[in-house]
Each structure stands twice: as structure tokens, then as C-alpha cells.
Amino acid sequence: MSAHPFDLLTVDQLRHNGSLKWTEYRDSLGAWVAEMDFGTAPGVIAAAQETLANGLIGYAPTQLVHDMQQATAGWLDNRFAWKIDPEQVRPLNSVATALDAAIMHFSPRHRPDAPLVLLTPAYMPFIAAASRFGRDSIQVSMLATDTGWEIEWSALRQALSGGALLVLVNPHNPIGKVYTGTELLRIAALVEATGSRVFADEVHSPLVFDGATHIPYATVSPAAAAHSITAVAATKAFNLPGLKCAQLILTNNLDRALWSKVGEIPEHGAANVGLAATTAAYRTGTGWLDSVISYLDGSRMLLAEIIGEHLPQVRYTPPQGTYLAWLDVSRLVLEPGPAQFFLKEAQVALINGSSCGSGGSGYVRLNFATPRPVLGGMIHRMGAAVDGCDNKDASDPEFAL
Ligand SMILES: Cc1ncc(COP(=O)(O)O)c(C=O)c1O
């Protein structure tokens, strides 16, 4: 069987290309920040180049914004059967900015200083988001069960009581869970009952594997559409977070009216190249994306095999979505912490689970959007470090880097 083109990418090439993931820890293999090693769709590159070639380096032309709004609405309809008016799509520079906007403007109206509720472990920067606005945050730990991750419903009800802004990341970084329609409806009922609101971060929604289906939160009921603000972006699936374009989807008319007064400056943050790249990704990138998902699907399963072989003490359940693996390393003694241990002893750069809030310690997050031989090399090195062996050069030719 001939090798997949992604398998042929080498660490030297990746480091030479100079991405953050491959240059921050120069002596280590990069499995930390959420970037993929596979470039992006050809149509995206062409659109970005055309934007520059046409000299569109001034402020965002209205047409570029309109195209992005239309393309986003078309994408959401085609991919998730979510029908919206393109005017509901608002440009921003990033999903992180969308959360800031939600905290500032879209908290429950009766409680503008409401706490942020996070289902943890959570995407690391969201842990500190509330405090930047002088707001409290409440962490509700997800439960790991034999059949997957579950919400602790009584804890969620308690956290939302009095009204809160629930941050619902679906698919859930870092645990890779894709919420079911039943779960989303149950969340919506709790949110309604408590007068809360939802910030639905669906940036990973295109990256879902067979066996799970992404359901946009705002589609589960009219009430959910009215009490939520959604953020999407082409940035994770098409690997272009540096181009600075995300989309806020406003499904509540009062929110839209408010945003028309306060949204001008944040909307200014979307970059022309990002707008054009997003339009191209949504309109022309499906074939490329599906081939990436198929590669990632193979890798998430391969990871289970090689972890079983080289790191048998580590527990791993392949994620339903995202390219992030959440590894339970709690059976190992890894001092001073798991990510520090693997960085120093295995030269593999990971994210410490403890930076993801409650329920995160004893875990590391590993980004498997990397060539499979490199992924094999990472796990081989980690296993060797745990065994205390000095064979981190991956003598197994399958894992030669
Ligand atoms: C769940 C989630 N939300 C937000 C972000 C950040 O997105 P942005 O770069 O658009 O702020 C990430 C990045 O990995 C993420 O995983």
C-alpha cells in the first residue's frame, strides 16, 4: 500500500516551515497547540494569494464581508442543515473575541454580572476568561464513565441557578466529546429554567468522526436559538487561525439590535485575507477537509494501538471529534507534572491537563494532527521515558523520524 502524502512530511520540514507548534520547543516533537501539520485546502491558499495580489490590504470591502456571510450560511446549511439569514453572521477576528463579546454583551439580561459556567476540563484560555472582566466562574467537572463523558446534571443545575452564562464547547476540547441531541435539549431546558444563556463554541464542529453527529446548539429548539450566541470559524478544520476571521452567529433579534450598536469595532478585527480564506474554505474546501478527517480518523485509532503497545499504563478513548487526544496518565508518577516530564524526558511537547481546570490533573492533551510516523515517534519516546530507558532515538524503523 502506498504511503499517504501526509505520512511523508518530516519533522525537519515541519520545523523549517516555522509554525508555532514546531518552533516553540525546538528540540521536541510538537503536540501541544491546536494546529494541524497538513497545510490547508488549495482553494484557501489561492483565495489568500488573490486577496494580496489584488492589493486588498486596506479596510474590509463590504463585498468581502457579504461573501463570507453568504458562504458561512451556505456551509452551515449544507453541513448541519442549519438555516440562517446571512445577516445573522457577524465577522470577528477570533473565537476568543467572540467569548469576550458574549461576556460583555450577552449575559442574562436580568443578571449582567452573571458568573461564567464552564464544563471542565475546558479549553485552557477560557479558564481565566471571566476574571478578565471581574466576573466569577464556576467549573462543573465532566464525569468519565465506561461509556464516555457525561455531564453531572445536578452540579450543572446548581451552577446555573440564579442565571449564568454557560460556555458550551461542542465538540468539547480537550475531551473530544460530541454532545447528543438529547443532551443538548436537556441543557436547553436547564438554561431556560434558570434564566441563563449559552455561549456555544462550535469551532471544532466540522471535525467529527463517523459514529457521532454534530448538532448546532441553536437548532435544538426555538428557546435554544433565543438564549444562545454561537461562534464558528473555518480556522480549526481548515487550519488557518493566523488569518484572523471567526463568525459570531446571532439567533436572537434583541442581540442583533444590541450588536448593531456595539459590534462595529470588534467586527473591524476580521482580516481581509481571513474573510476571503473563510469564504473559499466553506465554498470549495469540503473535499480537502473530508480527506483530512479520514486521515485523522485513522490516526485516532492508530493512537489506541500504539499507546497500548508503548504506554500500557495510559488510558485513552479515541475522541468523537477534534484532533486532540485526552490521555489519562494518572497511573504514572510523572514529576514535576506530566507535560513537564514528557518535555524533559521524552522531548514531546504536550499540554498539561491541570491547565484545563478541574478534573484535568492526571491528564495530558496530545494533538494528533501530525504525520503518523511522527505520532508513532512521540508515543515511542513517551513510552521509553516512562520505562526510564535511554532509547528515545526511536530505534524501531517504523517510527524513525
Ligand atoms: C474550543 C476552542 N475555542 C476557541 C479556540 C480559539 O480560537 P481562536 O484562535 O479563533 O480564538 C480554540 C483553539 O484551539 C478552541 O479549541
Side-chain angles (χ1 to χ4, degrees):
M1 203 171 68
S2 61
H4 190 286
F6 294 159
D7 288 343
L8 305 177
L9 291 164
T10 66
V11 168
D12 281 349
Q13 270 173 284
L14 293 167
R15 231 185 275 289
H16 175 78
N17 290 346
S19 67
L20 175 64
K21 189 166 78 164
W22 284 99
T23 55
E24 194 68 5
Y25 304 98
R26 285 209 155 263
D27 300 327
S28 299
L29 300 179
W32 60 291
V33 70
E35 296 175 343
M36 295 199 281
D37 292 336
F38 314 135
T40 188
V44 169
I45 294 173
Q49 284 171 339
E50 193 186 326
T51 310
L52 294 179
N54 289 343
L56 299 186
I57 53 175
Y59 295 113
T62 304
Q63 188 63 44
L64 217 53
V65 176
H66 278 173
D67 288 348
M68 182 282 287
Q69 291 170 309
Q70 297 277 354
T72 303
W75 166 264
L76 294 175
D77 188 8
N78 293 337
R79 197 96 181 164
F80 309 116
W82 184 10
K83 294 190 190 317
I84 54 167
D85 175 348
E87 267 301 306
Q88 292 173 269
V89 178
R90 309 310 315 174
L92 285 177
N93 70 341
S94 70
V95 173
T97 305
L99 175 59
D100 285 359
I103 296 172
M104 280 188 284
H105 305 299
F106 303 127
S107 292
R109 289 185 181 86
H110 69 282
R111 198 177 177 195
D113 61 346
L116 219 63
V117 172
L118 300 169
L119 297 172
T120 54
Y123 170 55
M124 306 74 73
F126 286 2
I127 298 293
S131 66
R132 285 189 284 110
F133 294 88
R135 302 268 286 271
D136 291 333
S137 73
I138 303 171
Q139 300 185 16
V140 176
S141 302
M142 298 290 293
L143 283 177
T145 72
D146 290 344
T147 50
W149 291 92
E150 281 176 22
I151 291 176
E152 219 185 310
W153 294 101
S154 58
L156 181 59
R157 169 180 285 280
Q158 174 70 28
L160 295 179
S161 63
L165 178 63
L166 171 65
V167 178
L168 180 64
V169 177
N170 183 28
H172 188 144
N173 169 8
I175 58 176
K177 176 181 172 69
V178 174
Y179 289 85
T180 64
T182 308
E183 288 170 318
L184 296 176
L185 277 168
R186 197 164 167 191
I187 292 170
L190 274 185
V191 169
E192 275 303 284
T194 54
S196 296
R197 300 209 68 189
V198 170
F199 172 71
D201 173 343
E202 301 186 355
V203 68
H204 291 277
S205 56
L207 294 166
V208 168
F209 304 109
D210 276 353
T213 304
H214 173 74
I215 303 171
Y217 179 75
T219 65
V220 297
S221 70
H227 68 219
S228 63
I229 308 99
T230 301
V232 296
T235 50
K236 290 294 136 189
F238 295 93
N239 205 27
L240 37 95
L243 295 188
K244 297 300 161 204
C245 181
Q247 300 86 49
L248 190 63
I249 315 288
L250 297 178
T251 43
N252 171 310
N253 286 339
L254 287 177
D255 290 344
R256 285 176 69 186
L258 175 60
W259 188 250
S260 69
K261 298 195 185 94
V262 300
E264 188 181 342
I265 300 298
E267 288 198 3
H268 236 52
N272 290 355
V273 176
L275 289 163
T278 299
T279 300
Y282 286 155
R283 286 195 176 145
T284 69
T286 307
W288 180 88
L289 175 62
D290 289 343
S291 70
V292 166
I293 291 173
S294 154
Y295 188 79
L296 291 172
D297 195 5
S299 300
R300 77 183 172 130
M301 294 308 183
L302 173 71
L303 193 52
E305 265 173 52
I306 53 183
I307 285 177
E309 193 179 335
H310 296 283
L311 281 168
Q313 313 88 333
V314 169
R315 280 170 289 191
Y316 159 69
T317 305
Q320 297 173 305
T322 80
Y323 47 76
L324 305 167
W326 187 238
L327 308 183
D328 177 352
V329 296
S330 60
R331 290 187 197 165
L332 298 167
V333 179
L334 303 170
E335 298 294 348
Q340 295 89 331
F341 173 87
F342 286 120
L343 185 63
K344 179 159 182 282
E345 303 299 333
Q347 289 79 50
V348 178
L350 304 161
I351 298 282
N352 245 341
S354 56
S355 60
C356 300
S358 65
S361 62
Y363 288 83
V364 285
R365 193 190 80 172
L366 178 148
N367 174 346
F368 60 85
T370 201
R372 286 182 194 150
V374 177
L375 184 63
M378 288 172 182
I379 302 302
H380 190 264
R381 284 182 182 201
M382 289 164 69
V386 166
D387 293 345
C389 307
D390 192 20
N391 61 348
K392 289 168 214 144
D393 290 339
S395 52
D396 183 342
E398 188 189 345
F399 296 145
L401 303 178

